[in-house]
Amino acid sequence: MSIFWRRGSSLQQQEKEQPELQSESKVNELKGTLGPLSGRSLLYCSDACLRRYLEARNWNVEKAKKMLEETLAWRSSYKPEEIRWHEVAVEGETGKLFRANFHDRAGRTVLILKPGLQNTTSMDNQIKHLVYLMENAMLNLPEGQEEMVWLIDFTGWSFTTNVPVRTAKDTINILQDHYPQRLAVAFLYAPPRIFQAFWKIVKIFMDPKTVQKVKFVYPKNKESVELMRSYFDMDNLPAEFGGKATMKYDHEDFSRLMAQDDVKAAKFWGFDQKTGGYAAASAAVAPEPSKPISITAS
């Protein structure tokens, strides 16, 4: 067996490196089965991307390939990278879904959802809004981070503001099938008892791994409080989620931030070169925000 150990390397080092080598081997194998890629598909299929699809399919190359090819077909048709803020801005007027200006203790991007602030009836546009913010959050992930955290505030939620089961299923399918390994954990903060009935239905459509990432949190429950403390700095966490900060969503400031991010997205995907100055035109109407989304210690 000694022939398999590199001279000068300890057993512990070899054991640590072995999974990494296997991972790299699987990524290369998947890359080979996909064949030559070009354009946006090539840009999308980074090594990190391939690794996420492999992880989602338990490192089965054929299953990962099928999943990734379905995503590439969906992206070619839906064109999520082409969605711009002005197309979905009406969905964000009440602050029902936005990217927070703080991270969790691991440095991950945080998306805040407030389903009780639902303000529209177009299910297609609601999904488009979510997809836009997923793409936006991915472009704003700190270096070395692949996943994000969801904080869901159920204040004001009721069955009248809830999305239909069919829409929930379609949304879950998009997130699971086309954004694998992007969710680190989702905190459902103080959901009302009647939500349990809805949850029992929708979790049927969810991958068991995803279900395990969903945490029900209750402010008077000691374990829930400790769980939130383990993930967040309480000084940064808004009071709605048991923290010490106050948060006020400013739609105008957030819109300015999204307009700037649209320029970033255009540059990343190469639209600024192909559309004759799209980025420059967008920059002209995207001044620096006067202030970030207001979150201050109370």
Side-chain angles (χ1 to χ4, degrees):
M1 291 296 293
S2 61
I3 62 174
F4 293 103
W5 305 117
R6 290 202 303 271
R7 187 174 298 173
S9 295
S10 68
L11 175 63
Q12 289 82 359
Q13 287 176 319
Q14 292 290 339
E15 289 176 341
K16 181 180 179 180
E17 292 172 2
Q18 189 173 12
E20 295 177 358
L21 292 173
Q22 290 176 343
S23 169
E24 184 178 351
S25 174
K26 289 287 187 178
V27 167
N28 290 332
E29 184 180 348
L30 177 56
K31 195 181 299 183
T33 64
L34 289 172
L37 298 171
S38 62
R40 300 181 199 179
S41 294
L42 179 61
L43 194 57
Y44 181 77
C45 293
S46 63
D47 284 2
C49 172
L50 301 186
R51 194 172 292 109
R52 287 193 302 272
Y53 280 79
L54 283 163
E55 288 178 2
R57 290 298 178 261
N58 296 315
W59 299 93
N60 183 300
V61 174
E62 283 303 313
K63 290 182 179 180
K65 177 189 176 185
K66 181 176 184 295
M67 184 185 192
L68 182 52
E69 287 178 339
E70 289 173 352
T71 291
L72 293 178
W74 174 78
R75 294 187 69 89
S76 177
S77 173
Y78 199 86
K79 302 186 187 315
E81 72 278 5
E82 292 187 13
I83 303 172
R84 292 296 172 258
W85 176 246
H86 69 85
E87 300 174 51
V88 296
V90 64
E91 297 289 342
E93 287 180 351
T94 60
K96 66 185 179 187
L97 171 59
F98 60 94
R99 192 180 85 237
N101 69 344
F102 62 92
H103 299 87
D104 74 343
R105 291 190 185 277
R108 293 176 291 216
T109 294
V110 176
L111 285 182
I112 292 180
L113 296 82
K114 294 173 174 278
L117 298 180
Q118 183 59 263
N119 62 321
T120 64
T121 57
S122 172
M123 301 303 167
D124 289 341
N125 216 48
Q126 289 170 17
I127 293 176
K128 190 176 182 180
H129 179 227
L130 174 60
V131 168
Y132 170 85
L133 283 171
M134 285 293 295
E135 295 283 318
N136 175 274
M138 282 158 37
L139 281 178
N140 282 283
L141 282 169
E143 185 176 356
Q145 290 291 354
E146 294 287 318
E147 299 177 316
M148 60 193 74
V149 175
W150 285 21
L151 282 173
I152 307 175
D153 173 18
F154 280 87
T155 301
W157 182 92
S158 68
F159 275 119
T160 59
T161 59
N162 192 39
V163 299
V165 172
R166 182 176 179 179
T167 302
K169 179 182 177 181
D170 291 344
T171 304
I172 289 169
N173 288 341
I174 288 175
L175 294 175
Q176 287 189 159
D177 296 344
H178 306 313
Y179 296 95
Q181 303 302 117
R182 284 301 192 183
L183 177 67
V185 59
F187 295 99
L188 279 58
Y189 198 82
R193 187 169 297 178
I194 58 173
F195 178 77
Q196 293 287 349
F198 179 74
W199 172 247
K200 287 180 180 179
I201 297 173
V202 298
K203 75 175 183 179
I204 295 173
F205 310 122
M206 299 172 68
D207 185 289
K209 291 182 180 179
T210 304
V211 173
Q212 292 178 4
K213 295 179 180 181
V214 177
K215 310 295 183 184
F216 284 71
V217 178
Y218 300 95
K220 295 182 180 180
N221 180 282
K222 184 177 180 181
E223 290 183 1
S224 291
V225 172
E226 289 303 315
L227 180 65
M228 296 300 284
R229 287 182 181 276
S230 69
Y231 275 87
F232 298 97
D233 181 340
M234 293 294 105
D235 289 334
N236 294 332
L237 187 68
E240 295 96 314
F241 301 101
K244 299 178 181 179
T246 56
M247 177 175 64
K248 181 181 179 181
Y249 174 78
D250 188 310
H251 187 59
E252 289 187 7
D253 280 342
F254 191 71
S255 293
R256 292 189 187 98
L257 180 64
M258 292 302 97
Q260 291 179 50
D261 280 0
D262 282 352
V263 176
K264 184 190 299 184
K267 185 176 182 179
F268 178 82
W269 293 106
F271 297 153
D272 53 335
Q273 299 173 356
K274 296 180 180 180
T275 57
Y278 170 89
S282 297
V285 295
E288 287 291 332
S290 58
K291 58 182 181 299
I293 299 168
S294 179
I295 302 180
T296 57
S298 57

